[in-house]
């Protein structure tokens, strides 16, 4: 009964483990997507867009699954340290029972001086020369449980160490993918805002050109200008309309790209809020380089890769060492011919490779060279990181200089627009000159906003190089 109870327990345990599967994620409908976006209101800020991207982006979800796989690989490697238990059962049916024939020794002749009675002599003459006995039943079953555990298998230690470092690499890769996703979202977000800002300039340029066209038509009626001059103005108006239509098409595609990154319905429209830019004081270049050498994910990944190559070399060394495994179990047989139908057994087995065609030697040489490749790759990544941080630092300084210049130009155009507005109120200037000033103001505003976006992107790239989030204040 104890054995049967143990068998039932093991079957239930294995069945429960086999059903421990992640639930499939159902596809989100358009209505569910709209309800999902309702909590953010009618417009989306940059923080909200990044939050949606981190929650829904398909590439990032793939990275998370890869991290889970790496964690499962580590757990699988850890299983090599634990005993493995197997349950076996067998039923055999024979067409005939198997018997064993044993020959009987012949009796020596009796001396003539000892005659036997006739009855005894007749019985002795009838004795068979051999007898049969049952060796195996016609049908029988065997049930057994076996277990084994490694006692000395050094390769499992280094395999687990390599899997653990592989899990760390997956986590670093996921963190880096998350930051690159934020930078991508920022780029697409700011590009949309730049197109919207540029549209305001194009609209005012079109109004100014249409006002000029209206005056040219009046001048042509009074023969103030020639016909070709009116056509030249009309060509200018058409070019402004083409630019505005092109801007609208580019804006539509830019929003679709952002929605693809957010894993949202491409046909649904989204409204973005403008982002305020605050210029911060940069730390010294030396401090940025120091932070990058301690926090850059790519550099950490290369370091872990070098350590994995070292573990692989140690695994190659263990191929020259013996492997010792301890095992044992219980076996029950229903064969009635056995005096003891169940018994326990144990064994210790050891294996040592003496010669396998120089495979172990060549595997070791290969591992040594892979370790050297890891060292050289790490050294290359070290220099690349320093170069990237220096370049990103210079880009931030350049973007900050352009932002300061664009801010001054914007302040000048804003003062100029105020003057033109006052002149228009007292009818010192006409609609054409006013719209022209308004278009130049919008151009200056658009350039200032684009300079802000370039500064944010440059600072975000520098932050990623130092191992930080590209969005300041982000988690």
């Amino acid at each position: 009964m104890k054995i049967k109870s143990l068998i039932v327990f093991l079957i239930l345990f294995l069945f429960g483990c086999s059903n421990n599967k992640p639930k499939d994620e159902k596809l989100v409908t358009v209505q569910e997507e709209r309800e999902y976006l309702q909590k953010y209101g009618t417009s989306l800020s940059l923080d909200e867009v990044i939050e949606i991207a981190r929650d829904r982006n398909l590439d990032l979800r793939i990275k998370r699954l890869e991290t889970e796989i790496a964690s499962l690989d580590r757990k699988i490697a850890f299983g090599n340290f634990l005993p493995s238990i197997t349950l076996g059962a067998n039923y055999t049916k024979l067409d005939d029972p198997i018997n064993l024939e044993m020959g009987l020794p012949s009796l020596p002749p009796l001396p003539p001086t000892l005659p036997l009675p006739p009855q005894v002599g007749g019985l002795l003459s009838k004795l068979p020369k051999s007898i049969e006995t049952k060796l195996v039943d016609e049908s029988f079953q065997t049930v057994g449980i076996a277990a084994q555990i490694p006692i000395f298998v050094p390769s499992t230690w280094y395999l687990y160490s390599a899997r653990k470092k592989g899990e760390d690499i997956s986590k670093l890769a996921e963190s880096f993918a998350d930051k690159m996703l934020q930078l991508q979202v920022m780029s697409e977000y700011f590009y949309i805002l730049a197109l919207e800002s540029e549209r305001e300039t194009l609209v005012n340029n079109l109004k100014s050109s249409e006002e000029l066209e209206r005056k040219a038509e009046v001048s042509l009626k009074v023969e103030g200008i020639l016909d070709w001059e009116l056509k030249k103005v009309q060509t200018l108006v058409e070019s402004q309309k083409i630019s505005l239509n092109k801007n609208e098409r580019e804006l539509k595609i830019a929003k679709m790209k952002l929605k693809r990154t957010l894993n949202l319905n491409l046909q649904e429209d989204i409204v973005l809020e403008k982002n305020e830019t605050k210029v911060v004081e940069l730390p010294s270049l030396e401090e940025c380089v120091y932070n990058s050498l301690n926090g850059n994910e790519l550099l950490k990944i290369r370091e872990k890769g070098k350590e994995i190559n070292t573990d692989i070399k140690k695994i190659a060394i263990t191929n020259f060492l013996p492997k010792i495994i301890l095992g044992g179990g219980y076996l029950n047989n229903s064969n009635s011919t056995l005096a003891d139908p169940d018994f326990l057994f144990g064994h210790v087995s050891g294996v040592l490779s003496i010669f396998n065609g120089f495979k172990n030697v060549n595997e070791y040489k290969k591992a040594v060279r892979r370790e050297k490749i890891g060292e050289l790759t790490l050294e290359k990544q070290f220099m690349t990181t320093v170069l990237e941080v220096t370049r990103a630092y210079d880009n931030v300084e350049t973007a900050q200089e352009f932002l300061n210049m664009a801010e001054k130009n914007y302040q000048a155009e804003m003062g100029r627009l105020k003057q033109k507005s006052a002149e228009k109120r007292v009818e010192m200037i006409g609609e054409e000159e006013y719209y022209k000033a308004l278009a130049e103001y919008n151009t200056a505003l658009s350039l200032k906003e684009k300079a802000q976006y370039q500064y944010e992107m440059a600072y975000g790239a520098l932050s990623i190089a130092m191992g930080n989030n590209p969005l300041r204040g982000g988690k």
Side-chain angles (χ1 to χ4, degrees):
M1 287 297 295
K2 292 182 178 180
I3 298 302
K4 292 182 178 179
S5 300
L6 180 59
I7 292 173
V8 172
F9 173 76
L10 289 174
I11 292 175
L12 292 176
F13 176 75
L14 295 175
F15 179 76
C17 293
S18 64
N19 285 311
N20 187 18
K21 299 178 181 178
K23 296 181 179 179
D24 296 333
E25 296 184 5
K26 63 179 181 180
L27 296 176
V28 179
T29 62
V30 175
Q31 182 61 30
E32 290 174 336
E33 181 180 299
R34 291 175 181 174
E35 294 175 356
Y36 172 81
L37 294 176
Q38 282 180 356
K39 63 181 180 180
Y40 296 106
T42 57
S43 60
L44 297 174
S45 65
L46 179 57
D47 292 329
E48 293 171 341
V49 171
I50 289 180
E51 180 183 345
I52 295 173
R54 298 175 74 179
D55 181 45
R56 299 174 58 89
N57 182 262
L58 298 179
D59 293 331
L60 189 58
R61 288 162 66 180
I62 291 174
K63 285 294 181 183
R64 289 169 182 162
L65 290 175
E66 290 175 351
T67 302
E68 293 179 8
I69 292 174
S71 178
L72 293 174
D73 286 337
R74 176 187 60 81
K75 294 178 181 179
I76 292 172
F78 182 77
N80 294 326
F81 298 106
L82 304 178
S84 60
I85 302 174
T86 57
L87 173 65
N90 179 47
Y91 175 79
T92 304
K93 175 69 175 176
L94 305 175
D95 60 345
D96 290 311
I98 299 178
N99 297 327
L100 178 64
E101 182 180 6
M102 295 184 296
L104 296 177
S106 58
L107 296 175
L110 296 175
T113 57
L114 297 174
L116 295 175
Q119 296 84 353
V120 176
L123 291 174
L124 291 177
S125 63
K126 295 180 180 180
L127 289 174
K129 296 182 180 180
S130 63
I131 61 173
E132 291 184 356
T133 182
K134 184 168 63 174
L135 179 64
V136 179
D137 291 341
E138 186 175 349
S139 64
F140 58 92
Q141 61 185 14
T142 304
V143 178
I145 297 177
Q148 65 177 18
I149 184 171
I151 300 300
F152 183 77
V153 185
S155 60
T156 59
W157 309 337
Y158 302 118
L159 177 62
Y160 176 77
S161 177
R163 293 298 189 186
K164 180 65 174 66
K165 295 179 178 67
E167 181 183 16
D168 295 337
I169 288 177
S170 295
K171 292 179 180 179
L172 290 170
E174 180 185 344
S175 175
F176 183 73
D178 179 77
K179 294 171 182 176
M180 291 302 296
L181 173 64
Q182 295 182 48
L183 190 65
Q184 178 184 351
V185 170
M186 291 171 60
S187 174
E188 295 172 350
Y189 186 95
F190 290 143
Y191 182 61
I192 293 174
L193 294 182
L195 289 175
E196 291 177 346
S197 177
E198 186 179 88
R199 182 176 56 184
E200 297 297 327
T201 302
L202 295 175
V203 168
N204 289 310
N205 282 334
L206 179 60
K207 290 181 179 180
S208 177
S209 300
E210 288 175 342
E211 183 65 22
L212 180 61
E213 181 186 18
R214 187 184 63 82
K215 290 184 177 181
E217 291 174 349
V218 174
S219 299
L220 181 62
K221 291 179 181 179
V222 298
E223 298 183 353
I225 61 172
L226 298 176
D227 182 64
W228 68 267
E229 292 177 304
L230 174 60
K231 291 181 179 179
K232 195 71 174 179
V233 175
Q234 290 175 342
T235 302
L236 176 62
V237 173
E238 289 298 321
S239 66
Q240 296 291 346
K241 290 181 180 179
I242 292 174
S243 299
L244 184 59
N245 293 334
K246 180 182 177 182
N247 174 270
E248 292 177 351
R249 297 188 190 100
E250 291 179 351
L251 181 61
K252 178 182 177 181
I253 297 299
K255 285 189 175 183
M256 292 181 68
K257 288 183 178 180
L258 177 60
K259 286 181 286 187
R260 181 190 61 180
T261 304
L262 303 181
N263 192 24
L264 296 175
N265 182 15
L266 300 184
Q267 304 304 323
E268 295 289 327
D269 190 27
I270 55 176
V271 179
L272 305 181
E273 301 175 2
K274 290 192 176 182
N275 185 71
E276 295 294 333
T277 298
K278 295 182 180 179
V279 178
V280 297
E281 183 179 356
L282 277 177
S284 64
L285 177 60
E286 291 77 12
E287 184 177 351
C288 292
V289 171
Y290 176 79
N291 291 334
S292 67
L293 296 180
N294 289 302
N296 186 273
E297 279 90 354
L298 293 179
L299 188 59
K300 290 181 179 180
I301 289 174
R302 297 302 183 188
E303 290 176 354
K304 292 293 181 181
K306 174 183 173 296
E307 295 174 1
I308 289 178
N309 288 331
T310 302
D311 288 333
I312 293 176
K313 185 184 74 172
K314 293 178 180 179
I315 292 175
I317 294 175
T318 61
N319 292 330
F320 300 99
L321 302 176
K323 300 175 178 60
I324 302 174
I325 297 176
L326 174 65
Y330 168 84
L331 186 65
N332 178 273
N333 196 307
S334 66
N335 195 346
S336 62
T337 60
L338 298 177
D340 188 2
D342 55 351
F343 56 89
L344 297 172
F345 65 92
H347 64 83
V348 177
S349 60
V351 178
L352 177 63
S353 176
I354 301 301
F355 178 77
N356 62 349
F358 302 105
K359 292 181 181 180
N360 292 342
V361 176
N362 292 325
E363 284 289 343
Y364 174 74
K365 292 180 179 179
K366 176 182 175 181
V368 170
R369 283 154 179 79
R370 289 186 63 175
E371 184 182 29
K372 186 62 177 179
I373 291 175
E375 294 175 355
L376 297 176
T377 304
L378 177 60
E379 182 178 354
K380 179 181 178 181
Q381 186 62 43
F382 177 86
M383 294 185 292
T384 302
T385 301
V386 175
L387 176 61
E388 289 179 350
V389 172
T390 304
R391 181 185 301 164
Y393 190 89
D394 292 343
N395 290 338
V396 174
E397 289 186 324
T398 302
Q400 186 172 345
E401 292 171 354
F402 274 110
L403 179 58
N404 293 334
M405 180 186 67
E407 181 69 30
K408 291 179 181 179
N409 182 57
Y410 169 73
Q411 295 294 336
E413 291 296 334
M414 185 170 59
R416 182 170 178 266
L417 179 61
K418 289 181 179 179
Q419 178 184 348
K420 294 298 180 181
S421 299
E423 292 177 354
K424 181 177 178 296
R425 282 196 300 269
V426 297
E427 297 182 353
M428 291 181 60
I429 60 173
E431 296 287 339
E432 176 191 354
E433 190 172 352
Y434 170 75
Y435 282 124
K436 184 177 180 181
L438 183 59
E440 291 176 354
Y441 164 79
N442 287 326
T443 300
L445 175 61
S446 177
L447 289 176
K448 187 197 75 163
E449 291 178 345
K450 289 179 181 178
Q452 291 176 343
Y453 305 152
Q454 290 176 356
Y455 174 80
E456 290 287 352
M457 293 299 299
Y459 197 91
L462 177 61
S463 299
I464 289 180
M466 294 189 295
N468 301 324
N469 281 314
L471 182 63
R472 283 172 285 171
K475 297 180 180 180

